[in-house]
Amino acid sequence: MANNKNQQNLDSGTISFESPQGKRKLPNFLLSVRLKYVKLGYHILISNAMYLLLIPFLGLASAHLSTISINDVVQLWENLKFNLVSVTLCSSLIVFLATLYFMSRPRGVYLVDFACYKPEENSICTREIFMDRSRLTGTFSDENLAFQKKILERSGLGQKTYLPPAILRVPPNPNMAEARKEAEEVMFGAIDQLLAKTGVNAKDIGILVVNCSLFNPTPSLSAMIVNHYKLRGNIQSYNLGGMGCSAGLLSIDLTKQLLQVHPNSYALVVSMENITLNWYFGNNRSMLVSNCLFRMGGAAILLSNKSSDRRRAKYQLVHTVRTHKGADNKSYGCVFQEEDEKKTIGVALSKDLMAVAGEALKTNITTLGPLVLPMSEQLLFFATLVARKVFKMKIKPYIPDFKLAFEHFCIHAGGRAVLDELEKNLELSDWHMEPSRMTLNRFGNTSSSSLWYELAYTEAKGRIRKGDRTWQIAFGSGFKCNSAVWHALRTIDPAKEKNPWMDEIHEFPVHVPKVATID
């Protein structure tokens, strides 16, 4: 996908893909939506709401029964004890309704706790260290060193992000052994902390889902975890590879489906990316961007469908919405791992990336809207949409206020200018964007695990209150956009939390200036 045209588009030192009309920014996806995606959102709502229709009926029946006195019961018994047909029909109806309710009601999925890995201080990579190590490799031209410096300065990354030792070493030493070592440090570090926080025995875990896009050894990463923690032999184990930065929420959705069919289970989700074997040592600028943005990190999440865990769980999973645009060739190829002209492997970014991301986001948000927006917002949005699309009326489109649906937003920390555009499109405040911006600044783009660093930041700030709703949204290669909605089951006390922000949360937020170009 990386061609000479893309190369010319990157010569300015920023990732601002040029079109004949000028610089491409993230499209205003809320101003142009398709009715079929609104319909899809309502279809999901209706298809999963059968059990909700039974709740009012059972509530009315319970309220009516509460008004019946003992004399009424005795009189009813006198009337029915010689009427076998009536007794049978009433009993059958009660059993049928109760069975229908319990069979149609999905199991609750609870997030017991999660943990984010914080590397050792010897893995800290300042901008100066990054440029020094890049220069010492001897593989980058002076022009591309200058290009990387500009990208780094405008990326939104701070001075305390992390890279694995194999990349920081002089000279770099990327090999399979070092990559396995990085994976073990990240995964086991996060899981150890999670098991300590929850008190769950590793052998009680019945489902394991691991996602890592670019590093897929044999045996798999999930097998490494099974071996290290001696997990039970009948564990449902899944290893997801090549699915990009949105794979973390994809793993959550897969785990939700598994918890619907495996009762009384704990599920462990591990989201990470591996840097060691995926550092690009060539001079194709469309492939150099990933060096400047991606950093070391990972997260472990413990989910449960046990009703007894609701009392101690932090959140309940309310919705997951997945969008996949891979059927479109432009979307499929906008983030592509391939060899450059010198046979060096890297991940190339297409000039169509921002347009593709905007279309995927638009589809996902349009589908999610009917599930989460208040009815007043839905009516206003739907009325103006029908007027514009069906009756061709020239009226200003109504942009729903997602701040009425969510208290907290965790948007994948893919780059500073992308966050700027999303803030503008969703009409969010600096306060809403703070977790994403500070995560990008402190930890960089940790791929699929970035959403969990953002939620950890929100907890460390003491912002999570019982009943709060949090929206996690991520996008990645393929092209995919996934969302998850969480409902806080209790107020999170930061004094009792242990996460990677706690020792330095008083230093944040820091000022990160916005930019006009796309990072």
Side-chain angles (χ1 to χ4, degrees):
M1 296 302 301
N3 51 34
N4 293 332
K5 186 176 180 180
N6 286 353
Q7 188 80 11
Q8 294 171 359
N9 291 334
L10 293 163
D11 283 341
S12 62
T14 60
I15 314 173
S16 54
F17 301 103
E18 298 289 341
S19 68
Q21 292 75 28
K23 293 177 181 177
R24 291 191 177 185
K25 292 186 177 182
L26 193 69
N28 194 331
F29 44 83
L30 289 179
L31 296 181
S32 58
V33 297
R34 297 182 181 178
L35 283 172
K36 67 177 182 179
Y37 297 130
V38 179
K39 179 181 177 182
L40 177 60
Y42 283 108
H43 173 74
I44 296 173
L45 179 65
I46 294 171
S47 62
N48 288 280
M50 180 182 293
Y51 78 99
L52 292 175
L53 299 177
L54 293 174
I55 292 177
F57 178 82
L58 294 176
L60 290 173
S62 301
H64 181 70
L65 289 174
S66 65
T67 63
I68 297 177
S69 64
I70 296 178
N71 291 332
D72 294 330
V73 175
V74 172
Q75 184 177 358
L76 180 63
W77 170 249
E78 292 294 333
N79 292 332
L80 293 178
K81 67 180 180 179
F82 298 114
N83 192 338
L84 181 61
V85 175
S86 298
V87 172
T88 302
L89 289 176
C90 289
S91 301
S92 300
L93 179 62
I94 293 173
V95 172
F96 172 76
L97 291 176
T99 301
L100 183 62
Y101 171 73
F102 286 107
M103 290 292 290
S104 61
R105 183 184 64 175
R107 291 188 174 91
V109 176
Y110 308 107
L111 193 160
V112 181
D113 213 329
F114 67 97
C116 300
Y117 176 68
K118 186 175 184 179
E120 300 294 332
E121 290 191 2
N122 59 5
S123 295
I124 289 179
C125 179
T126 64
R127 288 191 288 269
E128 292 75 19
I129 291 177
F130 179 93
M131 291 308 305
D132 179 65
R133 298 299 187 273
S134 296
R135 190 175 296 106
L136 290 174
T137 62
T139 61
F140 303 116
S141 65
D142 291 340
E143 293 79 7
N144 280 335
L145 286 171
F147 169 77
Q148 291 183 79
K149 184 177 180 180
K150 288 183 180 180
I151 292 293
L152 204 61
E153 290 172 347
R154 303 179 186 187
S155 64
L157 273 67
Q159 292 285 67
K160 298 178 69 176
T161 59
Y162 301 96
L163 283 176
I167 300 300
L168 293 176
R169 192 173 294 125
V170 180
N173 184 34
N175 56 56
M176 180 61 77
E178 289 290 338
R180 286 183 182 274
K181 183 179 179 181
E182 179 193 349
E184 291 172 353
E185 288 180 1
V186 173
M187 294 191 305
F188 301 162
I191 295 172
D192 287 346
Q193 183 181 343
L194 178 63
L195 295 179
K197 291 171 70 174
T198 60
V200 171
N201 190 311
K203 291 188 178 296
D204 291 334
I205 296 172
I207 298 170
L208 172 65
V209 179
V210 181
N211 68 267
C212 182
S213 290
L214 297 177
F215 181 57
N216 293 286
T218 301
S220 66
L221 296 175
S222 59
M224 291 168 62
I225 294 174
V226 172
N227 177 263
H228 182 80
Y229 291 97
K230 309 304 178 187
L231 302 183
R232 62 200 202 194
N234 65 341
I235 190 169
Q236 301 291 313
S237 176
Y238 298 85
N239 196 93
L240 308 181
M243 305 200 76
C245 299
S246 66
L249 294 187
L250 192 151
S251 296
I252 294 295
D253 181 72
L254 172 61
T255 304
K256 180 187 75 172
Q257 305 299 331
L258 292 169
L259 287 173
Q260 296 305 312
V261 296
H262 295 281
N264 201 38
S265 297
Y266 281 119
L268 174 63
V269 176
V270 180
S271 293
M272 61 165 291
E273 192 51 81
N274 192 283
I275 305 295
T276 298
L277 284 182
N278 297 291
W279 199 257
Y280 177 63
F281 289 98
N283 280 284
N284 188 313
R285 290 192 177 183
S286 66
M287 296 180 174
L288 279 172
V289 176
S290 60
N291 286 9
C292 302
L293 295 179
F294 285 91
R295 293 296 183 265
M296 185 179 181
I301 305 97
L302 184 67
L303 301 174
S304 172
N305 59 10
K306 301 180 181 182
S307 57
S308 59
D309 280 323
R310 180 184 174 88
R311 293 191 300 271
R312 66 166 181 153
K314 286 184 173 180
Y315 308 93
Q316 182 172 359
L317 183 59
V318 182
H319 300 293
T320 55
V321 174
R322 291 168 54 181
T323 299
H324 203 309
K325 292 290 185 177
D328 175 68
N329 290 336
K330 185 185 296 185
S331 299
Y332 172 74
C334 68
V335 180
F336 210 85
Q337 185 180 26
E338 60 182 357
E339 295 175 331
D340 65 12
E341 59 278 2
K342 294 186 177 180
K343 304 302 179 182
T344 303
I345 296 177
V347 177
L349 304 181
S350 166
K351 60 183 176 62
D352 299 315
L353 176 59
M354 297 310 300
V356 167
E359 182 65 25
L361 284 164
K362 180 180 69 176
T363 303
N364 190 270
I365 291 174
T366 305
T367 305
L368 179 68
L371 304 178
V372 298
L373 287 170
M375 187 56 65
S376 59
E377 290 293 297
Q378 294 191 45
L379 290 175
L380 287 170
F381 171 74
F382 191 72
T384 56
L385 181 63
V386 171
R388 285 168 54 85
K389 298 289 186 179
V390 179
F391 298 103
K392 307 299 180 182
M393 297 175 62
K394 295 182 179 180
I395 59 175
K396 184 179 180 180
Y398 180 75
I399 302 176
D401 186 358
F402 279 88
K403 296 188 292 296
L404 297 176
F406 306 106
E407 285 73 33
H408 310 286
F409 296 80
C410 295
I411 301 170
H412 170 54
R416 181 172 61 179
V418 174
L419 295 179
D420 291 346
E421 290 296 315
L422 280 169
E423 177 181 350
K424 182 175 68 176
N425 274 274
L426 294 176
E427 298 183 350
L428 303 178
S429 66
D430 289 340
W431 186 88
H432 290 113
M433 298 298 298
E434 187 180 310
S436 299
R437 293 192 188 281
M438 295 307 103
T439 295
L440 182 63
N441 178 271
R442 178 60 182 86
F443 293 96
N445 183 347
T446 59
S447 190
S448 59
S449 65
S450 67
L451 298 174
W452 301 104
Y453 288 91
E454 294 167 17
L455 187 56
Y457 179 92
T458 308
E459 291 184 353
K461 281 291 185 179
R463 297 178 179 178
I464 300 294
R465 297 287 183 267
K466 183 177 180 179
D468 282 0
R469 298 153 298 178
T470 300
W471 179 17
Q472 291 181 319
I473 184 167
F475 38 88
S477 60
F479 195 87
K480 298 179 289 295
C481 180
N482 299 323
S483 288
V485 178
W486 302 92
H487 176 262
L489 298 176
R490 57 185 173 90
T491 299
I492 307 299
D493 183 0
K496 299 179 181 179
E497 286 300 306
K498 183 179 180 182
N499 72 43
W501 295 96
M502 296 311 302
D503 296 337
E504 50 190 288
I505 192 63
H506 60 280
E507 301 175 8
F508 295 90
V510 297
H511 176 65
V512 180
K514 298 178 183 180
V515 293
T517 53
I518 301 299
D519 285 348

